[in-house]
């Protein structure tokens, strides 16, 4: 039931965030279209100050955090509308815009790419469209998106570039958050099943090339439902978070621990030597997990020991493919669970006990 509510909450959050992003993108697209129309008119020599265009320009820039720029390529003189100063961390009029100042504000890792894009626009006349980071005087990093095109004189020579720039920092953050939700468990911060399968696939491919083994360990918490029923979901969440933290402590950099739902976790252990005895290796791995998870967890006024059941499968000894390895490790875990508390089972082997029955 807990997992169902968590999944429902995640879906609701995702839908809300996506709806907000869609509305924002539509509004920005409309505003950008207006700017491009005005810039086109300016490039064709029309007066954009007619019919209240200038006032509309300023109002739109203020609310949408979009500014206009104008770069004279021969003199390197640069015009910024008022909205752009703040995008670069300056007060209006605090600095005199120049192309050199602009380049110094762009993040060092992005300068060459931005410069190359602008030169390509000057040489080919193609639309310039680039996302890049700027570093404010106080060290703050913001994301901007810049679009523009060339302006030519009567002799078809390029005399300037004109365009718009807008702050997309929040959009980047929202996209990053959605990406995180799609790949990581929101409660524990562990990789979810999608990432688990990606990493397991990579681990198996590496094992094939290096002729090593990969151990897959399914972990199930015993009595977790009783914790939820007696102490509430907050206590259950505390158990899951504590378990995740403890499992991460015993892993190497190359290993992975994921939460795949409810009270089930999976550990991927890479680079195991091919000549080791599987029974000894499984015993060593599972004893480490049992020891790390054995300390009691404080819940209310109680100290609760949380038992576990472990199922182990090893590639390539037990299965040649990822799906088969996942399936038989899961079956081994349920075999261990049926045998009692704090048990583990190696595929094809007997059920072994940690030695403590809580």
């Amino acid at each position: 039931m807990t997992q169902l509510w968590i999944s429902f909450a995640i879906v609701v959050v995702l839908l809300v965030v996506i709806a907000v992003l869609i509305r924002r993108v539509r509004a920005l697209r409309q505003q950008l279209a207006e700017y491009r129309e005005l810039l086109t008119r300016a490039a064709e020599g029309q007066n954009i100050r007619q019919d209240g265009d200038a006032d509309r320009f300023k109002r739109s820039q203020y609310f949408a955090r979009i500014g206009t720029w104008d770069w004279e390529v021969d003199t390197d003189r640069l015009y910024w509308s008022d909205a752009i100063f703040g995008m670069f961390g300056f007060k209006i009029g605090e600095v005199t815009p120049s192309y050199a100042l602009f380049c110094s504000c762009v993040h060092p890792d992005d300068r060459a790419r931005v410069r190359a894009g602008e030169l390509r626009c000057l040489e080919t006349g193609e639309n310039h469209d680039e996302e890049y980071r700027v570093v404010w005087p106080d060290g703050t990093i913001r994301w901007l998106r810049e679009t523009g095109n060339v302006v030519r004189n009567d002799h078809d020579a390029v005399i300037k570039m004109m365009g718009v720039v807008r702050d997309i920092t929040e959009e980047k953050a929202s996209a990053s958050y959605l990406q995180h939700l799609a790949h990581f468990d929101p409660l524990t911060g562990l990789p979810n099943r999608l990432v688990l399968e990606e990493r397991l696939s990579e681990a198996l491919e590496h094992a094939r090339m290096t002729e090593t083994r990969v151990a897959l360990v399914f972990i199930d918490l015993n009595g977790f439902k009783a914790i939820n029923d007696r102490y509430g979901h907050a206590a259950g969440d505390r158990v899951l978070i504590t378990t995740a933290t403890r499992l991460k402590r015993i892993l190497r950099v190359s290993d992975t621990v994921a939460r795949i739902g409810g009270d089930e976790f999976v550990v991927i252990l890479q680079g195991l030597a091919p000549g080791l005895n599987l029974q000894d290796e499984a015993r060593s791995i599972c004893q480490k997990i049992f020891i790390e998870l054995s300390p009691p967890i404080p819940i209310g006024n109680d100290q609760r020991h949380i038992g576990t059941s472990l199922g182990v499968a090893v590639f390539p000894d037990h299965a040649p493919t990822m799906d088969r390895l996942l399936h038989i490790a899961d079956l081994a875990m349920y075999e261990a669970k049926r045998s009692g508390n704090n048990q583990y089972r190696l595929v094809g082997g007997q059920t072994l006990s940690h030695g403590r029955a809580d």
Side-chain angles (χ1 to χ4, degrees):
M1 182 61 71
T2 301
Q3 182 63 24
L4 179 62
W5 280 110
I6 291 174
S7 301
F8 178 74
I10 292 173
V11 170
V12 171
V13 170
L14 285 171
L15 290 176
V16 171
V17 173
I18 291 171
V20 171
L21 287 176
I22 290 174
R23 291 182 60 186
R24 180 180 295 179
V25 168
R26 286 176 177 173
L28 289 173
R29 283 177 177 172
Q30 181 178 353
Q31 291 160 348
L32 283 171
E34 293 178 359
Y35 288 159
R36 289 193 177 104
E37 178 186 354
L38 292 172
L39 288 170
T40 300
R41 289 165 56 187
E44 294 173 351
Q46 300 180 32
N47 185 0
I48 67 170
R49 296 186 177 275
Q50 295 175 353
D51 304 322
D53 283 342
D55 290 339
R56 179 157 57 93
F57 230 39
K58 289 184 177 180
R59 286 196 304 270
S60 297
Q61 289 180 21
Y62 177 80
F63 288 111
R65 287 181 295 179
I66 298 177
T68 54
W69 53 270
D70 183 322
W71 171 34
E72 296 180 3
V73 296
D74 291 334
T75 64
D76 273 355
R77 291 180 57 186
L78 185 64
Y79 162 78
W80 280 351
S81 65
D82 290 350
I84 297 184
F85 284 88
M87 297 182 197
F88 284 80
F90 301 113
K91 296 178 181 178
I92 297 175
E94 180 181 354
V95 294
T96 300
S98 67
Y99 189 73
L101 174 66
F102 163 75
C103 289
S104 69
C105 293
V106 175
H107 193 286
D109 293 343
D110 297 343
R111 286 175 190 164
R113 175 170 50 80
V114 173
R115 176 65 174 167
E118 291 168 340
L119 291 176
R120 184 168 55 253
C121 178
L122 292 173
E123 292 171 358
T124 66
E126 296 177 357
N127 288 334
H128 175 59
D129 191 338
E130 201 75 60
E131 294 180 0
Y132 56 85
R133 292 162 292 177
V134 293
V135 183
W136 287 10
D138 65 1
T140 299
I141 296 178
R142 304 287 292 183
W143 276 94
L144 304 182
R145 182 176 181 181
E146 173 184 288
T147 62
N149 212 328
V150 296
V151 178
R152 301 178 183 274
N153 61 17
D154 294 338
H155 303 288
D156 202 35
V158 174
I159 57 174
K160 65 172 62 177
M161 282 184 66
M162 298 179 66
V164 297
V165 61
R166 63 186 178 94
D167 191 316
I168 59 170
T169 305
E170 282 70 28
E171 293 176 38
K172 284 284 187 179
S174 297
S176 177
Y177 178 64
L178 288 173
Q179 181 77 359
H180 185 83
L181 283 180
H183 293 84
F184 292 88
D185 171 44
L187 178 64
T188 64
L190 294 179
N192 61 15
R193 190 179 188 95
L194 175 64
V195 177
L196 169 76
E197 293 182 356
E198 291 175 353
R199 295 187 182 177
L200 181 56
S201 177
E202 293 170 359
L204 298 188
E205 183 60 31
H206 183 264
R208 291 186 185 99
M209 292 188 297
T210 59
E211 297 184 350
T212 55
R213 284 168 163 167
V214 176
L216 192 66
V217 185
F218 268 59
I219 303 169
D220 184 81
L221 304 184
N222 299 327
F224 180 74
K225 183 178 184 301
I227 295 289
N228 265 339
D229 293 342
R230 178 174 178 182
Y231 297 98
H233 295 301
D237 289 347
R238 190 178 309 119
V239 170
L240 295 173
I241 293 170
T242 302
T243 300
T245 301
R246 291 176 177 178
L247 287 173
K248 286 189 290 186
R249 286 203 293 256
I250 65 174
L251 297 183
R252 302 164 300 172
V253 175
S254 60
D255 299 331
T256 295
V257 57
R259 181 185 175 211
I260 61 172
D263 57 347
E264 293 186 348
F265 299 82
V266 178
V267 172
I268 304 171
L269 300 167
Q270 299 189 61
L272 303 183
L276 296 176
N277 180 277
L278 287 183
Q279 291 283 351
D280 293 341
E281 191 71 4
R283 182 182 297 275
S284 175
I285 291 170
C286 293
Q287 289 288 1
K288 289 179 181 178
I289 294 174
F290 279 131
I291 291 171
E292 190 62 41
L293 298 183
S294 63
I297 299 175
I299 300 176
N301 297 324
D302 298 334
Q303 297 284 328
R304 293 298 303 263
H305 289 278
I306 308 299
T308 53
S309 299
L310 313 180
V312 185
V314 179
F315 171 88
D317 304 77
H318 298 138
T321 64
M322 180 182 70
D323 290 342
R324 181 62 181 166
L325 195 70
L326 287 165
H327 177 65
I328 62 177
D330 191 29
L331 291 178
M333 182 269 291
Y334 280 104
E335 281 292 320
K337 197 174 186 70
R338 283 192 289 267
S339 301
N341 199 25
N342 292 315
Q343 309 285 323
Y344 65 93
R345 184 178 180 87
L346 176 67
V347 173
Q350 62 182 357
T351 303
L352 305 167
S353 173
H354 173 50
R356 192 199 73 211
D358 292 324

